[in-house]
Amino acid sequence: MTATLIADGTTTGRPAHRDPNVLRWLGAYTASMVGDSVYYIALSWAAVQAGSPTQAGVVMAVSAVPRALLMLGGGVVADRFGPRRVVIGSDAVRCAAVLAVAALLFLTSPGLWPLALLAVVFGTVDAVFMPAVGALPARVTSRDQLARVQGMRGLGIRFASIVGAPLGGLGVAVGGAAAAFALAGLLIAVSVPLLISVRMRDLPTDDKADDRPASPLGDLRAGLRYIRGHRVLAPLMLAIALGDLGFVGPLNVGLTLLADERGWGASGMGWVLSGFGTGAGAAALLLTVRGRLPHAGRVAGWSIIAGSVAIGALAYVPGVVAAVGVALLIGLLAGLSGAMCGALLQTQADPAYLGRVTAVSGLVSLGFAPLSMPLSAAAIGAWGTGPVFVVSAVVCGLGGVIALGVRDLRRAELPG
């Protein structure tokens, strides 16, 4: 049985999914993610009620700008001040902002400006929250448990996506957007005492740089140099970027257009998305139970390639049932490759750089990959769903080719 390190350097003798310290962290993370889901439902409903559809769309999208612009700086903040302190502060700020807007909506009808301001605050805080969240697991468990924690985190994300939307809808139905915002704030608030109770282990002494640059900009440059010179992380970032670029377009806007073209309707598209979610959840559960899969680099590469083939095939399936089956396969393979890539990021990166490493990965996934959505929509309008899905599959598959073609990444293993 593997041992889990805690703050004083001792071991608990428990795997991560039986370690109360890790479970407290998971509870905090899941509560925060459910709160996020409820928040987005409340924001979209309030924006639609207060303005035109175009204005509502702007409010929903405005948070992406500070998130993308400030993400790399957020990684520096996480590494400089410690991820737990940053996550606790981020959740406290988000909770206060959401509850303030909830109170404002209870008292008056202020229009769109507080919603837009809230979206900007959320995007700004997310820029530091996301890198800090990525750097936390290395402080709450030992390296040999990081892959299992990655699977547990995936289960938390799936739970939040399943529970958050109905909770948000219930809040809106019972008390309007104000009640939904209040519920989101309370859920985010639950994470704060849980995080305070989580014990953190110190970084190994040899991981702490004695020659830390004096400025945040120097920290950022050092982090980028570290990634660029790393034999596993550098090609892994490129593989993640290509995989996400080929995946995000077809599985978001592309799927909507495909369902409309085939006459599946909203219910058919919902079933396809359910298939994808089920597959991704199964992959997270597999990693949670197993804790470690051998040949992580090869598994990631082949999963990306096989998933890309399934993405291309999705545009040519004859009906909804077959599409659900293909989507389940895509979710399983994407969940497996994503978990492997995330676990490799966690275990290959020096803990002192984890915030910056996570920031670069997050910028790739949340900053660059979404650009493929409008491009995919325009391309489908010009050439149809089939060719665009195939091209997207090729782009995604290139990520797997890189993972298998670069020797150090192909041979990368998770700690045993």
Side-chain angles (χ1 to χ4, degrees), residues 233 236 296-297 300 339-349 409 412-414:
L233 293 179
L236 181 59
M340 288 293 100
C341 289
L344 286 172
L345 284 177
Q346 290 282 325
T347 55
Q348 291 289 327
L409 177 53
E413 293 280 0
L414 299 177

Side-chain angles (χ1 to χ4, degrees), residues 28-199:
Y29 178 74
T30 304
S32 182
M33 290 298 99
V34 175
D36 273 5
S37 297
V38 175
Y39 155 77
Y40 282 111
I41 296 294
L43 182 66
S44 62
W45 180 264
V48 168
Q49 294 298 307
S52 67
T54 300
Q55 291 172 327
V58 171
V59 169
M60 294 300 296
V62 72
S63 64
V65 177
R67 185 189 299 128
L69 292 178
L70 302 175
M71 182 77 75
L72 294 180
V76 173
V77 172
D79 286 335
R80 275 190 164 242
F81 296 99
R84 181 173 68 166
R85 185 182 301 173
V86 172
V87 171
I88 291 173
S90 299
D91 275 346
V93 170
R94 295 194 304 166
C95 175
V98 171
L99 291 178
V101 171
L104 192 62
L105 291 176
F106 271 123
L107 297 173
T108 184
S109 300
L112 285 171
W113 71 265
L115 303 178
L117 180 60
L118 177 62
V120 170
V121 169
F122 246 73
T124 302
V125 174
D126 276 350
V128 295
F129 174 80
M130 291 177 178
V133 164
L136 262 180
R139 271 80 169 181
V140 301
T141 191
S142 55
R143 292 182 75 250
D144 64 312
Q145 293 296 304
L146 285 173
R148 175 173 275 126
V149 168
Q150 192 69 19
M152 295 166 68
R153 183 180 175 186
L155 289 176
I157 293 171
R158 288 294 135 205
F159 178 83
S161 65
I162 292 172
V163 172
L167 272 180
L170 179 62
V172 169
V174 171
F181 276 127
L183 177 59
L186 292 175
L187 285 166
I188 295 172
V190 169
S191 69
V192 175
L194 285 173
L195 283 170
I196 292 174
S197 70
V198 173
R199 294 166 296 180

